[in-house]
Amino acid sequence: MTPAMAMVARGETGFTAYDPAFRDVLGDTPRLHHVVDVDAHEGPVYVAAEDALYFTTKPCLGKVHIKRLQLDGTSFPRRPSDVSVVEADTVAANGMTAGPEGSLLVCEQGSMTRRARISRVEPRTGRTTTVVTAWRHLPFSSPNDVVTHPDGSVWFTDPSYGWLQGFRPPPAVGDFVYRYDPATDVVDVVDDSFDKPNGIAFSPDHRTLYVTDSGANQEPGSYHHDRPHRVVAFDLTADQRHLTNRRLLAVVAPGFPDGITVDDRGRVYVSSFSGVQVLSPEGDLIGQIDVPGAVNYTFGGPHRRLLLITSDTAVWAAVLDPHGA
């Protein structure tokens, strides 16, 4: 191990290496920046045309906002005045992804009186419309994370955390992974094998789907070591409508995984209690970005080489070598 790699391995730069392959992630000048103190919880979406990051906030007095952080390339830190509210009246919004025509597709977990749904939000106007609320007329539990496929389909996870956390009625469906086809207006269950399906992401070629299982977390603040805390991979079938070849990619420790994303070389980034763990495409842990409390993240910035991280109390930015997928 070279002296430079040893330094990184000790975590002195905000990065910890477990394998020399992590050097390809770090490049020559890796940096970790505190961007701004803000209640950024989930759903980070980077919009290149605006150089802006959208995210959902931590619940406060039962309210969750969608906020926007104006960035300026790699000029950090940013000021609190760079953060604005896009939508204040969400129904417990959580995960988000980029939607059609500059919109945001949002997982709204619902409440005791309002249905959970996947919604579409227009950032410029705040206008919100419903995309889908049910499978075979049965209401969703509390959709958590969402991603789109190039064919236009919308894939999302629906764990029953709303019930466990006391803001949703008892679930009418299982803890499923869904595919919604806007062209046919049909929702299908694509997998029912998870304890608590959470984060979701495609590989760069969209032939593999990754889903985190945070079943080790049940009641708020709990950790059940004998329940799942892992990342699972699937292959998409030739018609790109179904999943096959379910397999374990990695078990996450310490803690359990939440958010997940990939880079253009197929490496997988997944959260743990100690930070953002970086896995090889085969599932080997090669390194970590040391941001304890990291919840979710997305690539953005110039050439998509910033990993923008939400951690409940702040946004962080890791300057890396690979491009986001």
Side-chain angles (χ1 to χ4, degrees):
M1 182 177 289
T2 66
M5 181 59 74
M7 180 187 71
V8 172
R10 291 198 299 271
E12 294 178 2
T13 62
F15 304 92
T16 302
Y18 300 107
D19 188 287
F22 195 44
R23 178 174 296 280
D24 292 335
V25 174
L26 299 179
D28 294 331
T29 56
R31 301 183 302 282
L32 181 62
H33 296 278
H34 175 271
V35 179
V36 69
D37 287 321
V38 65
D39 54 348
H41 176 55
E42 267 279 12
V45 176
Y46 177 74
V47 178
E50 306 173 19
D51 193 16
L53 181 73
Y54 292 85
F55 55 86
T56 59
T57 64
K58 286 185 64 178
C60 181
L61 301 177
K63 292 186 177 295
V64 175
H65 301 332
I66 297 173
K67 290 186 176 180
R68 177 185 185 274
L69 168 62
Q70 181 63 59
L71 298 169
D72 183 16
T74 57
S75 175
F76 305 118
R78 307 304 297 157
R79 298 163 298 183
S81 59
D82 293 318
V83 179
S84 57
V85 175
V86 173
E87 175 56 59
D89 188 28
T90 74
V91 190
N94 199 63
M96 300 194 298
T97 194
E101 301 172 344
S103 65
L104 300 171
L105 294 178
V106 184
C107 293
E108 295 195 71
Q109 298 175 94
S111 68
M112 285 297 185
T113 58
R114 299 171 70 180
R115 272 198 171 197
R117 64 179 178 172
I118 304 297
S119 62
R120 173 172 168 165
V121 174
E122 310 297 338
R124 293 182 181 178
T125 64
R127 181 174 179 266
T128 301
T129 55
T130 295
V131 175
V132 63
T133 64
W135 171 70
R136 299 187 181 178
H137 306 293
L138 297 171
F140 297 134
S141 297
S142 44
N144 188 283
D145 202 8
V146 59
V147 68
T148 57
H149 189 274
D151 67 5
S153 57
V154 179
W155 301 64
F156 59 99
T157 59
D158 186 32
S160 52
Y161 278 129
W163 164 244
L164 288 171
Q165 295 172 7
F167 64 85
R168 288 286 289 146
V173 293
D175 290 54
F176 296 156
V177 181
Y178 293 98
R179 176 186 184 272
Y180 171 65
D181 187 347
T184 60
D185 197 32
V186 172
V187 182
D188 290 311
V189 175
V190 291
D191 191 83
D192 69 347
S193 64
F194 286 88
D195 187 327
K196 291 290 174 287
N198 198 316
I200 187 169
F202 281 112
S203 62
D205 60 9
H206 293 88
R207 295 179 181 177
T208 304
L209 182 73
Y210 300 106
V211 181
T212 65
D213 193 335
S214 56
N217 177 225
Q218 296 287 313
E219 311 82 16
S222 68
Y223 181 75
H224 302 268
H225 67 87
D226 56 338
R227 301 186 79 148
H229 42 104
R230 61 193 175 200
V231 183
V232 175
F234 301 87
D235 294 332
L236 270 67
T237 55
D239 63 7
Q240 303 182 91
R241 296 178 53 238
H242 304 284
L243 299 176
T244 187
N245 190 23
R246 184 187 195 275
R247 58 200 182 274
L248 175 71
L249 183 75
V251 174
V252 173
F256 51 85
D258 192 332
I260 187 169
T261 193
V262 296
D263 67 25
D264 62 345
R265 301 172 203 175
R267 288 173 293 237
V268 178
Y269 299 66
V270 61
S271 62
S272 71
F273 284 2
S274 55
V276 182
Q277 297 187 351
V278 184
L279 311 175
S280 71
E282 296 75 30
D284 297 320
L285 176 62
I286 62 173
Q288 177 175 278
I289 302 166
D290 301 323
V291 182
V295 180
N296 214 328
Y297 23 81
T298 189
F299 279 96
H303 310 293
R304 295 187 65 81
R305 283 181 168 162
L306 293 179
L307 189 72
L308 297 160
I309 304 166
T310 59
S311 66
D312 282 346
T313 59
V315 172
W316 295 78
V319 183
L320 305 174
D321 186 67
H323 304 269

